[in-house]
Amino acid sequence: MTIPNEGHELSAQSSPAQDTVLISSFTNYFNQGISFLQNNDYLNALANLKEALQINPNHFDALQLSGLLESQLNNNNEQAIVLFLKALEINQSNPHVYNNCGLVYEKLEDWKSAGDCYLKALILKPDFAQAHNNFAGVQRQLHNTEQALASYDLAIQFDQKFADPHYNKANVLRELRQLDQAYLHYKLAIELNPLFSQAFLNLGLLLSEVQKYPEALDFFNQAIAINPNYVEAFNNKGNLLQKLNQFDSAVDCYQNALRLNPNLAQIHNNLGNVFHRLNRLEEASDHYEQAITLSPDFAEAHWNNALALLMRGEFTKGWKEFEWRWQSDYVNRFAKKRTFTEKLWLGDSSLFGKRILLHSEQGLGDTIQFARFAPFISNLGAEVTLEVQPSLVEILKTLPGNFTVIPVGAALPSFDFQCPLLSLPLALNIQTTNIPLAQGYLKTDPALVNVWLKRLGPKTKPRIGIVCSGSQEHTNDFSRSYALKTLLPYLPDSFEYHILQKEIRDIDLNTLEEHPHFYNHAAQLSDFTQTAALIDHMDLVITVDTSVAHLSGALAKETWVLLPFRSDWRWLTHQSNSLWYKSIQLVRQNQIDNWNNVFEWVNSRLLAKLNSNG
């Protein structure tokens, strides 16, 4: 902050003796204000400057310094603007006051006025690097990206030791995904200002985005070393440590951040996610609840809490929280909320004599799992239309009950109510003790079963169906899927193995080519009726958590579902049986991202089957 040393005359409104007293009093207050300012005592500085302005309301330096203090100390930005504008009425040739006035307009998010102030500053001082930098920031807010970059370049040109425009330009380039150039400007900012903790942090974020995790971690650590109270650095370091599966260290980072500021909902949510990943579900819920208390409309925290509650078997509250999925960024990446004029039905109205549309919303497995409720809606006296993904239409027609199944995209009939499939448990008050049709509810097509009988030929060994991966778009796919070659050593030769996947990854195709005794039927699996008919010929299905697991369970086929350490909510935790499908056996990792105990279990159980059959 610049301390002026020039004096300004008082208006002649009093006697000479009074003038002398006023001048002396003004000088005393003004000089004391400057002294307090130089000693960083801003409260007393502002108090004395206010007293000075009571004596001389038109003193330029007192006005502009008071404006700075009102904004920076009290966040009284409207008053700061009044003071700056009055100062500019007295002296319109000071570029610094225009620049400071622009900064306050930015706080008020009045981008046009801020930009106008910076332009006036630059007319007075064309080489004013700070004003170029600030004007660029306003253009960025107004989405004038090219102008912003040009102004950052001017700031760099006029002050080659000014770190801020390099940092700000790097942020724009990072948003534009020009990551190499962004990297260079972050590095230049750090070279010019080795204590620029924000530049260290954002460079770490850039490196994390390109999966250079060790380098990113180093920059986060440097940001924290510079500023041990840097909450954002602790938070982002925690996020990175989660990616590196260093969960205990991630917990420490988030807890450090919360010690610095316990009122940050996002960090409570992040800490909840780590505890969730570690299956410490009560602690996860505690932090989700704290995030919700701090930010009641925090959709991600509600959604995450729903998953933790359902995984713990707390269905009553879990289903209610589950409705927040439609505000969640995660769910909306995969399933957009449908817009209907017809009322959403959540069990609060009679359906007798009414028509209702039940519509799929997320994955194929979700649709298979929750379609079981359609017959129960029909039993409430409703005329039911079940709208599902095209590949599921025919298999879901085998559900018991009186309702119509149509594919997504077909013309909809008229209806009175509508309900997404995953909201039906809330509407029907589903608990762990009343899940219907767990014994199975789908049937195979006898004609297709016969077609597969001919395709497969005479059975000489017990047949095992294998699914080792699901959709790569699933956010937890890296944990739930595995390469087929990693399972092979655990599969005894005395069985016949059939791949039940329609989509097979390249690495697994290579494995299949090397092991022709594994049968690949992907070309014939045009829809789930075909997959169901193939499953009918299997003695056992071994699958990861994907749609085939639900299909096999709904067909009442003996199925082993191989689960990662942190499984999906629907399999709860620790149980080896499924509440949703009686024929499913759950086999869980006992260490994060380590399938050894699961594969060893598979091997021992398969050998036991051989011995029992022998």
Side-chain angles (χ1 to χ4, degrees), residues 416-434:
D416 305 298
F417 295 98
Q418 53 84 21
C419 185
L421 282 180
L422 274 68
S423 292
L424 289 175
L426 174 63
L428 295 171
N429 191 27
I430 296 301
Q431 303 295 320
T432 58
T433 54
N434 66 349

Side-chain angles (χ1 to χ4, degrees), residues 290-521:
Q290 289 184 66
I292 292 164
T293 298
L294 291 165
S295 180
D297 294 328
F298 190 176
E300 297 299 326
H302 282 285
W303 164 245
N304 290 332
N305 196 31
L307 302 182
L309 290 165
L310 292 172
M311 200 168 178
R312 292 163 60 188
E314 296 186 21
F315 279 13
T316 300
K317 185 175 181 180
W319 295 128
K320 291 178 182 176
E321 288 284 82
F322 202 71
E323 289 302 296
W324 279 88
R325 65 194 182 278
W326 298 118
Q327 283 77 49
S328 160
D329 289 339
Y330 169 77
V331 172
N332 279 292
R333 289 202 299 271
F334 304 101
K336 297 297 182 185
K337 186 176 183 180
R338 303 278 290 277
T339 302
F340 295 102
T341 57
E342 293 80 4
K343 183 182 176 183
L344 170 66
W345 183 78
L346 290 177
D348 47 356
S349 305
S350 172
L351 290 180
F352 190 80
K354 301 294 184 180
R355 297 161 297 180
I356 185 169
L357 173 70
L358 307 179
H359 47 95
S360 59
E361 57 174 87
Q362 296 188 41
L364 297 167
D366 295 300
T367 301
I368 295 170
Q369 179 181 357
F370 291 94
R372 74 179 72 207
F373 297 115
F376 295 87
I377 302 300
S378 179
N379 291 342
L380 295 175
E383 181 182 324
V384 176
T385 300
L386 177 60
E387 183 200 45
V388 300
Q389 297 93 328
S391 62
L392 290 174
V393 170
E394 294 305 317
I395 191 65
L396 291 180
K397 285 180 180 178
T398 69
L399 266 167
N402 181 24
F403 52 88
T404 303
V405 184
I406 63 172
V408 173
L412 294 175
S414 58
F415 50 93
D416 305 298
F417 295 98
Q418 53 84 21
C419 185
L421 282 180
L422 274 68
S423 292
L424 289 175
L426 174 63
L428 295 171
N429 191 27
I430 296 301
Q431 303 295 320
T432 58
T433 54
N434 66 349
I435 295 173
L437 300 178
Q439 73 278 9
Y441 48 89
L442 297 181
K443 294 182 175 152
T444 54
D445 180 337
L448 286 178
V449 170
N450 194 47
V451 169
W452 278 100
L453 177 63
K454 294 176 182 176
R455 284 177 182 162
L456 297 175
K459 180 177 176 181
T460 59
K461 296 178 181 179
R463 287 171 170 156
I464 309 291
I466 299 287
V467 178
C468 57
S469 60
S471 169
Q472 295 187 68
E473 295 180 1
H474 192 284
T475 55
N476 199 39
D477 184 65
F478 66 94
S479 291
R480 68 166 180 167
S481 297
Y482 58 83
L484 177 60
K485 66 181 180 181
T486 62
L487 177 64
L488 284 180
Y490 299 89
L491 299 178
D493 293 335
S494 303
F495 294 90
E496 189 176 287
Y497 298 101
H498 296 262
I499 305 302
L500 305 180
Q501 298 171 226
K502 181 179 179 181
E503 303 293 335
I504 302 177
R505 301 180 186 185
D506 290 343
I507 188 172
D508 294 332
L509 286 173
N510 293 335
T511 301
L512 290 173
E513 288 177 4
E514 295 167 3
H515 297 83
H517 59 288
F518 275 73
Y519 298 93
N520 176 6
H521 303 289

Side-chain angles (χ1 to χ4, degrees), residues 137-182:
V138 169
Q139 297 311 305
R140 188 178 171 194
Q141 290 289 341
L142 297 173
H143 307 292
N144 298 329
T145 304
E146 289 186 11
Q147 178 62 63
L149 289 171
S151 292
Y152 287 135
D153 286 339
L154 287 171
I156 292 166
Q157 175 187 329
F158 290 122
D159 187 349
Q160 296 181 12
K161 295 183 179 180
F162 190 12
D164 288 11
H166 285 289
Y167 168 76
N168 292 326
K169 182 176 180 180
N171 289 336
V172 176
L173 293 168
R174 182 171 152 229
E175 290 174 1
L176 295 172
R177 311 311 297 162
Q178 297 179 29
L179 300 183
D180 290 341
Q181 286 298 309

